Amino acid sequence: FLSDHSLQIKTWLSDKHIRSCCSYSTLRAWLPILSWLPRYNLKWLQMDVLAGITVGLTAVPQALAYAEIAGLPVQYGLYSAIMGGFIYTLLGTSKDVTLGPTAIMSLLCFSVVGGQPHRAVLLSCLCGLIQATMALLRLGFLLDFISFPVIKGFTCAAAVTIGFGQVKNILGLKGIPHEFSLAVYYTFYKIPEARIGDVVLGLLCLGVLVMLLFMKATLGSDDSPPYSRVARKLVWAVATTRNALVVMAAAIVAYSWEAYDHHVFSITGESTQGLPPFRLPPTSDTTANGSIVSFGEIVEGFGGGLAVIPLMGLLESIAIAKAFASQNGYRIDANQELLAIGVTNIMGSFVSAYPVTGSFGRTAVNSQTGVCTPAGGIVTSAIVLLSLAFLMPAFYYIPKASLAAVIICAVAPMVDYRIVTKMWRIRKLDLLPFVVTFLTSFWQVQYGIIAGVAVSGALLLYNVARPQIKMWDHGMLVMEPSSGLSFPATEYLSHIIHTQALQAFPPRSVVLDCHHVSTIDYTVITELRDLLAQFKLRNVQLIFSRLQPSVLEVLLAADLQALRYTDSVEAALQLESENLPDD
């Protein structure tokens, strides 16, 4: 009877589990599109199409420019901008976020694969698999171990590296190495070789972009010019699509000179036209001398990049999603965001994309244009596909100086020098991981992040191992650890008690106020047993007060000899003054 009854219960639980897994609510959790699609209306469609077109006009020139940072042909930037809009519409939980190539991910990609297209595509697939696996295992909490000073140190260093790396294109210089220190030296060394046409065009593009950015920034301020409503909308539209307008204008200028056989500017040159083939990412590569590099050798060559790039991609995108969710009054699901980024990178590798993540600049444009749902990304991706299908011949004439100007303007706001003053004022020790990350990133970008996380971890462990201990003298010494006790802090606590109480003359009793202690481990128990024996040997007392129930339960279970505890410090002081016998 019991066996049959048990089997019925198991069957019922199994059926219930299957029904819950297959329920509409579960499906909606995995496919957030099901939450907003039934309510979709014509007004949302109008706003999404407008936002998608606006972001698309920003995404195309940026994708071309970011491919330059990744050391890849320009079409790979557009390949990387295809899948984000389609996948995120299905899986994303933020209406504002746009996925695609970014300056930081492009720099990280170059640092790992060195501008080799096949390896960049494989890197995208592997990073996507890691990100999707993290999402399925709910490992998003790992991002909490990357502190804000590390993030700021990395982004500032990356912005400087990326920005200075484009100076060579503004000057029209060739043969500049990619390593930062060498790039600085050879850029200044080769200044006499600068091409006048590139310098003039590059500075002109920079000036126009800064002017349009300033005009857009003043639109919402109190001292903005008294534009009419139509003029205000026109200024906003021109300023928002400034990258596309400047690049198109520069391409027209370059085409005009090239038509008369005057090679005044360094231009982008030939690029592959048409849509990329949909195929499996490559699992091997061929070197210049014809030798085959196996999958294992490629993965080994990626090294720490396989850890750094997925984490930085997740960190960048989730930070952006949380910022805009807070600003616009909705919530996101961090693990679902991880899944969206992971699937985007996996599917992107089938169309020759390199790793992507959320873009702050394009997300800001998307939000400001009034996007209503993630469906705006479909329009953006469609514009990218149309550009690949029909506009690639026109990209031949885009001057590299204009793309360099777009990149410099995009990364300049990332250099937040004011953060140093803030950290100095709030907590000076936070400058240590910031400086370590910042300086190390100029050597190798991924090592900068690893070094910063290591320093932050060391500071965190130091705080755990050296908790602040407040002390008062009330006849007895009252000691109050400011944080929990765990095995790294055991030796330090024991040293303080020995120094202040047991080695004093005469030895003194101690009240240990434990109301901040919520957990306790075996190492601490062992040390407390030894301390109690030492106190008993010197005819003084160690009394515990305000113990958490969970900690008291552990102490009682450990069967400590001469254990005394009270509900308050005052009771412990009274207990000592009356010199009551042990309970």
Side-chain angles (χ1 to χ4, degrees):
F1 169 77
L2 289 175
S3 176
D4 291 343
H5 188 61
S6 172
L7 181 60
Q8 289 176 0
I9 293 175
K10 288 180 180 179
T11 304
W12 177 79
L13 289 174
S14 177
D15 291 343
K16 184 178 179 181
H17 180 71
I18 291 172
R19 284 196 301 270
S20 66
C21 288
C22 299
S23 67
Y24 180 75
S25 60
T26 303
L27 188 61
R28 191 169 58 180
W30 288 106
L31 290 174
I33 187 175
L34 298 177
S35 299
W36 54 263
L37 189 59
R39 298 179 285 114
Y40 204 75
N41 55 54
L42 185 60
K43 180 174 174 50
W44 286 7
L45 177 63
Q46 292 172 344
M47 298 305 296
D48 287 347
V49 170
L50 175 62
I53 292 173
T54 307
V55 175
L57 294 175
T58 303
V60 170
Q62 282 192 343
L64 299 172
Y66 292 152
E68 165 74 19
I69 298 174
L72 301 171
V74 292
Q75 66 267 21
Y76 280 85
L78 294 176
Y79 295 164
S80 302
I82 294 174
M83 281 295 177
F86 297 119
I87 301 298
Y88 196 81
T89 299
L90 294 172
L91 301 177
T93 59
S94 167
K95 72 179 182 65
D96 300 300
V97 167
T98 62
L99 300 183
T102 65
I104 288 180
M105 291 301 284
S106 299
L107 178 64
L108 286 169
C109 180
F110 177 80
S111 69
V112 173
V113 301
Q116 301 177 75
H118 282 74
R119 300 189 186 190
V121 174
L122 179 59
L123 179 64
S124 176
C125 182
L126 295 178
C127 287
L129 288 171
I130 292 171
Q131 291 165 334
T133 302
M134 288 178 64
L136 295 174
L137 296 177
R138 304 296 184 189
L139 297 180
F141 71 90
L142 293 176
L143 300 179
D144 297 339
F145 290 95
I146 303 179
S147 66
F148 186 77
V150 173
I151 298 169
K152 274 299 180 182
F154 166 71
T155 53
C156 288
V160 172
T161 302
I162 293 167
F164 192 85
Q166 296 306 308
V167 172
K168 66 178 185 293
N169 290 327
I170 295 285
L171 300 177
L173 301 177
K174 299 187 183 299
I176 304 295
H178 289 282
E179 187 179 343
F180 182 76
S181 58
L182 295 177
V184 172
Y185 173 78
Y186 280 102
T187 298
F188 285 104
Y189 179 77
K190 291 191 173 187
I191 282 181
E193 302 176 17
R195 301 180 62 174
I196 299 300
D198 286 324
V199 174
V200 172
L201 183 64
L203 293 177
L204 186 61
C205 289
L206 274 174
V208 172
L209 287 170
V210 171
M211 180 189 69
L212 291 174
L213 187 61
F214 177 76
M215 290 174 64
K216 184 178 180 180
T218 58
L219 280 178
S221 62
D222 295 334
D223 57 346
S224 62
Y227 296 125
S228 67
R229 185 176 179 182
V230 175
R232 184 179 293 272
K233 287 186 176 181
L234 180 62
V235 170
W236 183 87
V238 171
T240 300
T241 58
R242 61 189 178 276
N243 291 334
L245 295 176
V246 165
V247 169
M248 285 191 292
I252 291 171
V253 171
Y255 175 77
S256 301
W257 285 93
E258 291 287 330
Y260 290 98
D261 205 28
H262 296 301
H263 305 295
V264 179
F265 309 108
S266 301
I267 58 177
T268 300
E270 289 288 347
S271 55
T272 303
Q273 183 178 0
L275 303 179
F278 190 84
R279 61 190 176 195
L280 289 170
T283 55
S284 62
D285 197 11
T286 305
T287 61
N289 60 12
S291 60
I292 303 296
V293 183
S294 68
F295 175 79
E297 292 172 323
I298 295 176
V299 173
E300 185 178 353
F302 290 161
L306 273 180
V308 172
I309 292 181
L311 284 176
M312 285 308 301
L314 299 176
L315 188 66
E316 189 175 359
S317 189
I318 290 177
I320 292 168
K322 285 184 176 179
F324 282 89
S326 174
Q327 176 181 313
N328 295 323
Y330 61 89
R331 293 185 62 81
I332 64 158
D333 183 339
N335 281 299
Q336 185 66 27
E337 291 293 304
L338 304 191
L339 183 64
I341 302 166
V343 174
T344 297
N345 278 321
I346 293 170
M347 297 306 298
S349 67
F350 284 77
V351 291
S352 302
Y354 66 86
V356 302
T357 186
S359 164
F360 185 86
R362 296 193 294 276
T363 299
V365 170
N366 206 26
S367 178
Q368 291 165 5
T369 313
V371 71
C372 295
T373 71
I378 296 177
V379 180
T380 299
S381 295
I383 291 176
V384 173
L385 289 172
L386 290 173
S387 300
L388 279 165
F390 303 109
L391 298 180
M392 291 308 288
F395 295 158
Y396 177 94
Y397 295 100
I398 294 177
K400 290 185 176 181
S402 65
L403 295 179
V406 169
I407 293 172
I408 291 172
C409 286
V411 301
M414 292 163 53
V415 184
D416 188 3
Y417 57 89
R418 290 170 295 186
I419 196 66
V420 176
T421 307
K422 293 177 182 177
M423 282 191 283
W424 178 266
R425 189 168 61 248
I426 296 171
R427 187 170 182 260
K428 297 178 178 61
L429 204 58
D430 282 337
L431 284 170
L432 183 58
F434 173 85
V435 171
V436 169
T437 305
F438 182 78
L439 295 178
T440 311
S441 293
F442 290 116
W443 170 42
Q444 285 286 342
V445 177
Q446 62 268 37
Y447 293 159
I449 300 169
I450 294 171
V453 170
V455 172
S456 293
L459 292 177
L460 182 64
L461 290 175
Y462 180 82
N463 291 331
V464 172
R466 295 292 182 269
Q468 292 184 353
I469 299 177
K470 298 178 182 178
M471 285 186 285
W472 298 273
D473 191 341
H474 293 287
M476 298 175 68
L477 275 178
V478 179
M479 296 187 179
E480 179 188 333
S482 61
S483 60
L485 291 180
S486 54
F487 68 89
T490 305
E491 188 62 34
Y492 177 70
L493 176 66
S494 178
H495 172 74
I496 294 295
I497 292 175
H498 272 85
T499 304
Q500 300 296 325
L502 294 177
Q503 294 176 6
F505 186 80
R508 309 187 64 184
S509 296
V510 172
V511 177
L512 196 60
D513 187 351
C514 298
H515 76 281
H516 288 304
V517 180
S518 58
T519 59
I520 199 166
D521 57 39
Y522 185 78
T523 305
V524 177
I525 291 292
T526 303
E527 189 63 34
L528 290 179
R529 180 177 282 111
D530 180 66
L531 282 172
L532 288 169
Q534 294 291 328
F535 272 86
K536 186 175 182 180
L537 187 65
R538 290 168 173 78
N539 294 317
V540 287
Q541 296 187 68
L542 175 60
I543 303 174
F544 298 86
S545 74
R546 297 204 285 178
L547 288 166
Q548 301 279 356
S550 59
V551 175
L552 178 58
E553 184 180 351
V554 172
L555 291 176
L556 293 175
D559 194 24
L560 296 176
Q561 297 295 321
L563 174 65
R564 308 190 76 176
Y565 56 90
T566 61
D567 293 333
S568 67
V569 175
E570 292 76 11
L573 296 175
Q574 183 68 24
L575 188 67
E576 169 64 13
S577 64
E578 294 175 358
N579 196 22
L580 295 175
D582 291 349
D583 292 337

